[in-house]
Amino acid sequence: MTISPVPGSLIGRDPEIAKFDRWITGCLQGDGRAVLIDGEPGIGKSTLMRTVSIQAAEAGFTVYRGAGDELGQALPLLPFLDALEVRESTTDPRRRSVLRLLRGDFSAGGSVDAVTAASEQLFALVEQLCEQSPTMVVIDDLQWADPTTVALWGRLAKAARQLPLPLPLFLLGLARPTPQGDSLRALRRAVEPGELVRLSPLANDDVTALLTSLTGARPGAQLSRLADGAAGNPLYLTELVGALSRGSYLTETEPGTVDVTSGSAPRTLTAAIADRLGFLSEQVRSILRAAALLGVQFAVDDLALVLKQSVTELLPSLEESLSAGVLADTPEGLGFRHPLIRTALYEELPASVRSALHRDAGRALAAAHAPVERVARQLLSADNPNGPRLGPLEPWVQDWLTEAGPALVAQAPQAAADLLRRATTSWPARPADDSLSTMLANALFRLGNPLDTVEVAVSALDRVTDPDILVELHWIHAQAQLQVGDTPTALEALQKALANPNLGALHRARLLISLGRAHRVAGQVKLAEKAAEQARALAIESNDRWALAWALHLLSIASVTGGGSAESLALYDNAIAATGDDLALVDLRLLVKINRAIWLGDLDRYPEALEALREVRDEAERVGSAIRLAQAYTGLCELYFENGQWDDALADLDAAPDDARDQASACQHRGMVAAIYLHRGDTEAGLHNLALSETHEELLGLRVIAAPALARALRSEQANQPEEALAGLLSNLTGEVEELDEMEELLPDAMRLAVECHDTEAAAHVLRYAEEAAARSANPHRIGTALYCRGLRDGDPQQLLQAAEQYLVAGRPLFRANALEAAAARFAELGERAEARTAFSRALDGYQVLDAKWDAARLQNRFREYGIRRAPRVKHRQARSGWDSLTPTESKIAELVVQGMSNPQIAAQLFLSPRTVSTHVSHILSKLDLRSRIDLAREAALRSENSPDA
């Protein structure tokens, strides 16, 4: 009896289908969703996914599908690149931007992590797609996905409910229980319990129903007993019935019943698959084995290249495979009907043979100029850690890496490092090895391995003679040495290189840029300025815009450090102009713009500074520069912190993840957030962020960052350890005044603590810094700090009031409240109660506007001794949840969400970024214990109806 099984039956999955139907309907009403389908191989995940995708498409969703691949785990983001149709033929600007990033077009200077940047661009692409139509993104086989893909899926899952109401996102992931890395475990924990769909084995009645569906009759006793071995797995059952049918083992034993005729029928899934494949000709099997080398999904053109045949020659074998149900033609392309079929074919080959075939496949693809990730996948698969160790890579691999290496380093640094390490150690050195060693050093640096980077770079520098390679190696080497805190070694190596009399003007200029940066990190401002001046002259001589822009940038920083003037802004503007519209200088242009905006903040020109930083933030997002985007957010946080916009500072923390930031930015940002939480009395959140800040601080080596130092002092002071707090601040106030710009924020607290601890020596030390800083640059906040420090030391309340006025002009409300508190205390000590009460009330208002609960409580406790107290005039937020817990910004955003505005529309109206708005929406939903924007609209309507004014 010949049976034609119907694969992919969804018998027994009615509850799941009904649940997805409700979710799709709710999603169209604005309730975005992220669902993870979990289950063993063959349990029906992919069949359910295909059914759900069809349901979604019929409901109006645009569906995008991609999948992880066991052979592609070393190549980041491939599932999303496939799903979102990011390929060479695309003309869409956003997709082209992702490709340019992965090719390293924006990676000048090695400071942009192309993979992280591409992940950010893909996130933005999904947001853009959701502005065009309801969108479903499906990623299958997440257990094979690289960590970057899993992290991006997690971020999209978190954002799914916060996208615009009419155009929602439905994110769907599929994964097996094993293998399960840390990132996938975290993802499972992140998915809400109700949105983790675990597919269990079919119940006995469902097994019977499936067998009936597959055979067209009820199963007999022997078939049922044989089916018990499938343990309720639909694929096992389908393959078993298919194998029995092809072997003519099934017969109708009585009307309406089918059973097994022979005890020699296949008894396992492996045997069933082997039986299926046994019906194929050897020619077809050999073609399928070659296809198995390429993965579950494969391009027919690639298969033709590997087999050295034309597509026309392959067509009969492919048609036979399709007819036999071994291959399937899917919207994503040709592929194996199930990964287990591909695995069975793949594992038929001995490991050593597989490795050789992978190498041959890689060579064929490379000769055809296939994308670098497809070639790399074959080369990486050739070196099977569970098989025999391979000998040296063949010479053609070195030639291919010489050409394709830069793009591979940018797109997949781990894969590049693995191949480049073998390519540079497998045979005697050739001239090309120097460029490969440089690429290896770059890949290791991108992977966050500065010590390995230094080792590779030093070894290569001993033999390099090509000046272009020499300059690039020194740039990478210096960055790695600075990251591990070994600035003297970096300086020594650069000075030795500059002593070479054979270098031309261009190469000397570029080496001088590295030297200037190293001097700057070492705090040697004058030497940094000297190197930058020499580099500028040589850059002009050699017409090198890169070196000229960098030299002007270094001179800008030196000018600012020396006190700053109108000349500083001119230097910044000239540096920006020098970058022009050169793609290779995009990263540097963004960096200069960020530093220029922060300098405007140092000049107390906050409106200009904030506008400038918002512009560079948007530009960084457009070009996909993840690190510069994160630095822009850190700069905004710094300005918000100083300017008293603390709610906005906290909202921007989640706008860019820590792993998208450089160590200094992550350290500074977390430190400022820690300080805000500690001022607000939220010790747990403050200490959590301080610990994260200190983790980044440790990786910076000797470099000191102001924010964690300030937060540590607050922690000590709140633990009633003022001496420890003072000692921590003083440890950062060493060296010359011009080297302390980053520590300037510590001076007011250091002076206050020195006076409270009666440490006259420390007070004199701090006052000297404050007065010299004010003399170098008479900005309002510096004048205010000098007056504050002098007023504290001298016990002069009038000077303290003058300091408060300068801080008011500067736009620094926390320092103003500190000065008013100090003035009030001195007035009280002098018996001038009216003046004390006035200053006390103004200080308390200042703290309460900032929601600085700890400062306000300290102030009120202190003044009870003087018999001065006042009920708060400003509403003091105590609620941690509910509508009363919303900040003013959150309340405004909630109102606009209720009006039906999308995140981009809200961002444009409030001069925020869409990501900041998204973060605010997330906080609003969390505080109100709501799941989606539609719930927010419903809750607001109910609240309005129940209002006394309604």
Side-chain angles (χ1 to χ4, degrees):
M1 178 179 180
T2 301
I3 304 292
S4 299
V6 181
S9 173
L10 276 173
I11 288 172
R13 303 303 183 200
D14 290 347
E16 288 83 3
I17 293 174
K19 184 180 291 186
F20 273 104
D21 187 56
R22 292 194 302 273
W23 283 341
I24 289 171
T25 301
C27 199
L28 285 173
Q29 296 172 351
D31 189 7
R33 187 149 318 253
V35 177
L36 185 64
I37 302 176
D38 187 270
E40 67 183 58
I43 202 66
K45 300 186 299 298
S46 296
T47 305
L48 177 60
M49 174 267 290
R50 286 191 289 271
T51 300
V52 170
S53 297
I54 292 170
Q55 286 178 309
E58 291 176 348
F61 282 81
T62 303
V63 181
Y64 299 89
R65 287 164 53 181
D69 183 347
E70 186 176 1
L71 299 182
Q73 294 177 77
L75 303 169
L77 297 173
L78 280 184
F80 275 106
L81 296 176
D82 290 341
L84 299 176
E85 302 168 1
V86 178
R87 52 180 69 104
E88 291 293 335
S89 59
T90 185
T91 58
D92 176 68
R94 179 75 73 175
R95 291 176 170 87
R96 294 298 303 172
S97 177
V98 174
L99 288 175
R100 287 198 300 272
L101 285 164
L102 292 177
R103 287 198 300 259
D105 289 359
F106 295 142
S107 60
S111 57
V112 175
D113 181 340
V115 175
T116 303
S119 178
E120 293 294 308
Q121 283 290 77
L122 290 170
F123 186 95
L125 175 58
V126 173
E127 289 184 314
Q128 183 184 61
L129 294 173
C130 288
E131 294 174 8
Q132 299 167 2
S133 72
T135 299
M136 173 177 278
V137 178
V138 182
I139 303 296
D140 199 353
D141 283 324
L142 275 168
Q143 77 279 353
W144 298 127
D146 61 282
T148 310
T149 293
V150 176
L152 178 56
W153 197 96
R155 288 186 61 206
L156 286 169
K158 184 177 179 181
R161 295 189 184 89
Q162 299 162 23
L163 294 172
L165 273 169
L167 308 172
L169 170 65
F170 196 129
L171 187 68
L172 182 59
L174 295 83
R176 301 181 193 173
T178 58
Q180 186 173 154
D182 291 341
S183 56
L184 195 53
R185 275 192 289 270
L187 189 62
R188 283 188 170 92
R189 290 194 298 269
V191 175
E192 293 192 7
E195 296 178 348
L196 179 60
V197 177
R198 295 189 183 276
L199 294 186
S200 303
L202 297 181
N204 290 336
D205 289 346
D206 292 326
V207 169
T208 300
L210 178 56
L211 290 173
T212 302
S213 172
L214 292 170
T215 62
R218 286 188 58 81
Q222 291 187 56
L223 177 57
S224 296
R225 279 196 297 273
L226 190 58
D228 287 342
N233 186 297
L235 175 67
Y236 286 32
L237 293 165
T238 302
E239 291 297 333
L240 181 64
V241 170
L244 293 171
S245 174
R246 285 188 297 275
S248 299
Y249 296 121
L250 295 178
T251 188
E252 188 173 13
T253 57
E254 58 183 83
T257 301
V258 66
D259 213 338
V260 180
T261 62
S262 170
S264 62
R267 295 180 177 276
T268 66
L269 178 61
T270 302
I273 291 176
D275 181 85
R276 167 188 285 280
L277 299 176
F279 283 84
L280 301 171
S281 67
E282 182 54 36
Q283 177 185 357
V284 172
R285 287 171 70 96
S286 66
I287 289 173
L288 290 173
R289 282 193 290 267
L293 297 169
L294 301 175
V296 176
Q297 301 285 335
F298 57 89
V300 176
D301 288 342
D302 286 355
L303 182 60
L305 285 170
V306 169
L307 292 171
K308 300 181 176 61
Q309 297 182 36
S310 69
V311 173
T312 302
E313 291 174 309
L314 293 176
L315 194 56
S317 296
L318 295 176
E319 288 178 340
E320 182 179 340
S321 301
L322 287 164
S323 298
V326 177
L327 297 181
D329 190 10
T330 70
E332 292 76 34
L334 203 60
F336 290 93
R337 194 175 64 78
H338 195 279
L340 293 176
I341 298 175
R342 178 254 166 196
T343 300
L345 284 161
Y346 187 73
E347 292 181 350
E348 282 184 355
L349 299 168
S352 58
V353 174
R354 287 202 303 265
S355 295
L357 291 174
H358 275 303
R359 270 184 290 173
D360 288 346
R363 185 169 190 172
L365 293 171
H369 303 288
V372 294
E373 70 274 5
R374 278 154 53 185
V375 178
R377 180 187 301 190
Q378 295 302 313
L379 293 176
L380 291 167
S381 300
D383 193 3
N384 181 5
N386 299 319
R389 290 297 302 169
L390 300 178
L393 289 176
E394 296 175 343
W396 74 264
V397 179
Q398 185 187 37
D399 297 333
W400 176 76
L401 283 170
T402 300
E403 178 181 350
L408 188 62
V409 168
Q411 180 174 349
Q414 184 62 65
D418 292 343
L419 291 172
L420 287 164
R421 195 179 286 283
R422 291 188 60 207
T424 54
T425 58
S426 296
W427 50 69
R430 303 186 202 167
D433 282 355
D434 294 340
S435 64
L436 295 180
S437 295
T438 303
M439 293 180 207
L440 175 58
N442 193 2
L444 292 169
F445 184 74
R446 288 171 180 270
L447 289 169
N449 299 328
L451 292 175
D452 290 344
T453 303
V454 168
E455 180 182 352
V456 171
V458 168
S459 175
L461 284 170
D462 287 340
R463 64 175 185 269
V464 168
T465 57
D466 185 300
D468 289 331
I469 297 176
L470 181 76
V471 168
E472 186 174 357
L473 260 178
H474 271 295
W475 178 271
I476 297 167
H477 175 254
Q479 286 190 104
Q481 292 285 23
L482 296 178
Q483 192 171 97
V484 299
D486 192 0
T487 307
T489 300
L491 289 169
E492 181 182 355
L494 290 165
Q495 288 160 348
K496 180 180 177 181
L498 284 163
N500 183 348
N502 298 320
L503 290 177
L506 183 148
H507 299 104
R508 291 185 66 80
R510 294 195 168 203
L511 286 171
L512 282 164
I513 295 300
S514 293
L515 182 68
R517 293 180 73 224
H519 280 309
R520 175 70 186 93
V521 171
Q524 299 164 345
V525 180
K526 296 297 183 184
L527 292 175
E529 186 174 17
K530 180 181 177 182
E533 287 285 11
Q534 293 173 339
R536 176 165 63 172
L538 290 170
I540 293 171
E541 177 186 336
S542 58
N543 194 29
D544 183 1
R545 291 174 62 186
W546 183 93
L548 178 60
W550 261 109
L552 289 167
H553 181 222
L554 287 173
L555 289 171
S556 305
I557 295 172
S559 175
V560 166
T561 305
S565 63
E567 181 188 358
S568 304
L569 284 178
L571 286 167
Y572 277 126
D573 291 337
N574 290 339
I576 293 168
T579 64
D581 56 2
D582 190 338
L583 273 180
L585 298 178
V586 166
D587 180 61
L588 176 56
R589 180 164 63 250
L590 294 171
L591 176 60
V592 177
K593 287 184 174 181
I594 290 168
N595 285 332
R596 180 184 182 276
I598 291 173
W599 171 234
L600 285 170
D602 289 341
L603 295 175
D604 302 322
R605 293 160 61 172
Y606 284 103
E608 293 174 71
L610 288 167
E611 181 180 1
L613 262 181
R614 287 168 184 145
E615 287 179 1
V616 72
R617 173 201 65 197
D618 295 343
E619 184 179 352
E621 189 158 21
R622 282 196 303 273
V623 303
S625 180
I627 288 181
R628 300 306 175 210
L629 178 64
Q631 288 176 337
Y633 276 116
T634 299
L636 282 168
C637 179
E638 188 173 333
L639 297 180
Y640 288 145
F641 178 65
E642 294 168 356
N643 201 219
Q645 298 172 243
W646 289 4
D647 293 329
D648 292 324
L650 295 178
D652 272 350
L653 176 64
D654 297 327
D658 273 13
D659 58 9
R661 305 176 191 271
D662 61 279
Q663 298 292 351
S665 294
C667 177
Q668 177 79 343
H669 206 147
R670 288 287 180 181
M672 286 183 289
V673 167
I676 291 172
Y677 278 125
L678 289 172
H679 276 295
R680 288 185 163 180
D682 190 340
T683 304
E684 181 180 354
L687 295 181
H688 170 71
N689 281 279
L690 177 56
L692 293 174
S693 178
E694 290 177 332
T695 298
H696 295 292
E697 191 177 28
E698 289 174 6
L699 296 173
L700 288 167
L702 299 177
R703 184 171 177 184
V704 179
I705 303 293
L710 177 62
R712 275 192 296 272
L714 270 171
R715 177 192 62 191
S716 297
E717 191 173 358
Q718 291 177 0
N720 295 317
Q721 297 174 328
E723 291 84 3
E724 180 182 293
L726 175 60
L729 295 176
L730 291 176
S731 68
N732 296 299
L733 299 175
T734 59
E736 297 301 319
V737 172
E738 61 266 19
E739 299 169 9
L740 294 173
D741 283 331
E742 232 176 307
M743 300 298 110
E744 189 179 341
E745 304 302 311
L746 308 184
L747 294 174
D749 279 346
M751 191 66 185
R752 176 176 56 79
L753 288 166
V755 171
E756 288 179 13
C757 295
H758 307 290
D759 190 334
T760 55
E761 183 179 347
H765 180 70
V766 175
L767 179 59
R768 179 175 71 86
Y769 282 130
E771 292 189 331
E772 289 188 20
R776 286 188 304 119
S777 177
N779 302 332
H781 78 271
R782 284 186 169 176
I783 295 173
T785 297
L787 286 166
Y788 178 69
C789 291
R790 195 182 307 119
L792 281 173
R793 187 199 64 176
D794 297 344
D796 185 340
Q798 295 302 326
Q799 283 190 335
L800 293 168
L801 289 178
Q802 291 173 26
E805 289 303 308
Q806 289 294 325
Y807 285 138
L808 178 63
V809 173
R812 304 206 176 193
L814 178 62
F815 287 170
R816 177 174 181 264
N818 290 160
L820 288 168
E821 178 183 351
R826 187 56 183 152
F827 278 129
E829 290 168 359
L830 295 173
E832 300 177 25
R833 293 182 61 81
E835 290 82 354
R837 186 180 299 278
T838 299
F840 164 81
S841 297
R842 291 162 65 194
L844 186 58
D845 286 344
Y847 289 139
Q848 291 179 336
V849 166
L850 294 170
D851 196 25
K853 298 180 179 70
W854 178 77
D855 300 83
R858 180 198 64 203
L859 173 68
Q860 290 173 308
N861 290 335
R862 181 179 185 182
F863 277 80
R864 286 194 185 97
E865 299 176 5
Y866 303 118
I868 296 174
R869 54 173 54 89
R870 174 179 67 75
R873 294 177 183 170
V874 179
K875 183 180 180 180
H876 191 40
R877 291 198 307 272
Q878 295 289 347
R880 295 294 184 90
S881 62
W883 289 92
D884 289 340
S885 71
L886 300 185
T887 68
T889 301
E890 288 169 351
S891 296
K892 182 61 177 176
I893 289 175
E895 178 184 339
L896 296 176
V897 169
V898 170
Q899 292 176 17
M901 294 180 68
S902 68
N903 287 358
Q905 291 170 330
I906 296 171
Q909 180 158 329
L910 299 183
F911 302 103
L912 301 171
S913 78
R915 295 190 185 197
T916 300
V917 174
S918 178
T919 301
H920 277 303
V921 172
S922 178
H923 291 170
I924 292 166
L925 296 176
S926 176
K927 289 180 178 181
L928 300 181
D929 194 25
L930 301 175
R931 298 182 65 256
S932 68
R933 298 165 67 105
I934 196 167
D935 288 344
L936 176 60
R938 188 182 299 115
E939 183 71 16
L942 290 173
R943 186 168 184 263
S944 178
E945 290 174 5
N946 296 328
S947 170
D949 298 330

